[in-house]
Amino acid sequence: MSSPADNRTLTYGEAVFEATRSEMARDSKVFVMGQGVDDARGMFGTTLGLHKEFGAERSFDVPLAEDAMTGIGIGAALMGMRPIQVHQRMDFALLCMNQLVNMAAKMSYMFSGAHRVPMVVRAIIGRSWGQGAQHSQAFHSYFMHIPGLRVVAPTTPHDAKGCLIAAIRDDNPVVMIEHRMLHNVRGVVPEESYEIPYGKARILSPGRDVTIVGISHMALECVRAKHLLEAAGIDAEVIDPVSLSPLDIDTISKSVERTGRLLVVDTGWLSCGASSEILAEVFEKIGHRRPFVARRLGYLPTPCPTTRILENLYYPSPQSIAEATYRLVRGADAPAWQPGKVDSSEVAEFRGPF
């Protein structure tokens, strides 16, 4: 028999906050730093009031010096602390690439495990109200490329809490991808502490005709597309990878082996991206014994636009995902089909970056 606690719901942002607060209370070595983490809205509510509860030395604003602050975080981690560095826009993590790629990711290897960098980098990505080419990008594939870095991109509040707890406790550097469209999305979140394991995908909705893999916010859009596809008699299986490095290719491959069709929908560009990696690994795993057809969707190959009308064309939507899936399943010569209309409420209701 379930208790009310079993059905407790939080927003994604509240789940991140709860994970952070509980780990700060559990371990005095955990601290948070980032531009705006101590502001009045607490970075989408994910750091709200932590500076008051734990003191300014454990939750503090930082200057516009991402590279230097990452170096401070790495140094603190090497000395036994567990920093959480928050980038309110992942775009600015590009300023930290040398620190993250050449320092944090390689320390354990270079010193045969004698030194560790238990550091979490929270990187917020995605569309919004028109932040344009330099403030809407997603670079998760950049970090997937680097041995020594773990990369997670949880979609649900449940997984956001568990992924962050696991990342904070990990002795390796972890990049946690958070799409800003997710912070107000609600879901069931247990009150107790728990960890989500790396390399374990989640089947959000089973199906028999086609496998759709949605990364981060795209997983929600893929679930909406699944409902649209029901009108065309297509039963889609939707998978959320959750962990991007390491990837759970086994779960995805087993699904594709059943359905014979794969669509990967990314919240990023396609060239050299996460979608390419998933497609290649599935082919290497089952391609010799199970022919399948596949396609990818993601950002159009231009910089991110600013206006809402162009944004709506630029990013995959439930309608464009459903249309691509229909063509994949029915073939290019199938009769024309127009999916119904469904609104992504979190996109329509978003009012600002903070």
Side-chain angles (χ1 to χ4, degrees):
M1 183 176 180
S2 63
S3 66
D6 295 330
N7 298 315
R8 187 186 72 138
T9 65
L10 297 178
T11 67
Y12 191 103
E14 289 168 344
V16 172
F17 170 81
E18 186 168 273
T20 306
R21 182 175 180 271
S22 66
E23 289 302 293
M24 290 179 75
R26 187 186 71 89
D27 186 348
S28 62
K29 298 188 293 296
V30 178
F31 69 93
V32 179
M33 62 178 181
Q35 294 162 22
V37 298
D38 60 352
D39 67 24
R41 296 181 68 180
M43 199 57 59
F44 300 98
T46 63
T47 60
L48 190 63
L50 294 177
H51 62 294
K52 296 178 181 178
E53 182 173 358
F54 296 100
E57 70 280 2
R58 292 187 63 197
S59 179
F60 51 87
D61 196 11
V62 299
L64 293 169
E66 288 85 355
D67 183 62
M69 295 311 301
T70 303
I72 289 171
I74 292 171
L78 287 167
M79 295 303 294
M81 302 298 286
R82 293 185 177 270
I84 305 171
Q85 184 181 23
V86 184
H87 291 285
Q88 60 186 244
R89 296 176 179 88
M90 191 180 194
D91 310 69
F92 302 122
L94 294 181
L95 299 168
C96 315
M97 291 300 279
N98 180 60
Q99 295 281 15
L100 293 173
V101 172
N102 281 330
M103 304 301 173
K106 295 177 172 60
M107 285 293 180
S108 180
Y109 175 83
M110 291 169 64
F111 293 97
S112 299
H115 296 290
R116 303 282 186 175
V117 183
M119 180 179 183
V120 179
V121 176
R122 288 181 49 210
I124 298 172
I125 67 169
R127 67 180 297 174
S128 59
W129 42 263
Q131 296 191 65
Q134 296 177 328
H135 295 79
S136 304
Q137 301 165 100
F139 299 121
H140 42 286
S141 64
Y142 289 30
F143 296 103
M144 290 171 65
H145 187 66
I146 306 302
L149 293 177
R150 302 191 197 276
V151 183
V152 294
T155 301
T156 66
H158 175 277
D159 288 347
K161 178 180 176 178
C163 281
L164 183 54
I165 289 174
I168 294 170
R169 296 178 183 179
D170 197 336
D171 286 336
N172 301 287
V174 181
V175 179
M176 177 159 154
I177 310 298
E178 301 170 32
H179 200 292
R180 60 174 54 90
M181 292 298 103
L182 295 175
H183 282 107
N184 288 323
V185 171
R186 285 203 158 273
V188 174
V189 180
E191 191 167 357
E192 68 270 13
S193 179
Y194 60 92
E195 298 182 40
I196 297 296
Y198 299 108
K200 185 61 179 174
R202 186 177 297 283
I203 299 175
L204 296 179
S205 183
R208 65 178 182 274
D209 296 325
V210 59
T211 302
I212 307 179
V213 177
I215 295 171
S216 185
H217 177 243
M218 288 300 111
L220 290 189
E221 301 288 55
C222 290
V223 171
R224 293 176 176 125
K226 173 190 171 74
H227 296 314
L228 294 177
L229 287 162
E230 290 171 355
I234 295 173
D235 185 21
E237 178 149 291
V238 180
I239 298 178
D240 176 5
V242 185
S243 172
L244 297 176
S245 182
L247 271 167
D248 179 5
I249 288 298
D250 284 347
T251 294
I252 298 171
S253 296
K254 288 176 182 175
S255 176
V256 176
E257 204 156 12
R258 285 189 293 100
T259 66
R261 304 176 184 92
L262 171 62
L263 175 68
V264 185
V265 188
D266 195 4
T267 178
W269 291 289
L270 300 182
S271 178
C272 303
S275 60
S276 302
E277 182 61 27
I278 291 170
L279 197 66
E281 289 197 35
V282 172
F283 177 78
E284 288 176 344
K285 193 165 188 70
I286 68 169
H288 62 287
R289 66 174 183 268
R290 174 50 155 118
F292 64 93
V293 293
R295 186 178 171 184
R296 298 171 295 151
L297 287 180
Y299 291 176
L300 295 178
T302 69
C304 304
T306 300
T307 65
R308 176 57 63 92
I309 291 174
L310 291 179
E311 268 193 340
N312 290 341
L313 294 173
Y314 182 78
Y315 298 100
S317 67
Q319 287 78 18
S320 66
I321 295 167
E323 288 174 2
T325 305
Y326 176 82
R327 290 298 175 193
L328 193 67
V329 175
R330 299 289 187 236
D333 297 329
W337 175 73
Q338 186 69 35
K341 177 67 175 175
V342 61
D343 290 324
S344 303
S345 58
E346 67 280 0
V347 176
E349 294 169 4
F350 190 83
R351 291 294 178 268
F354 307 110

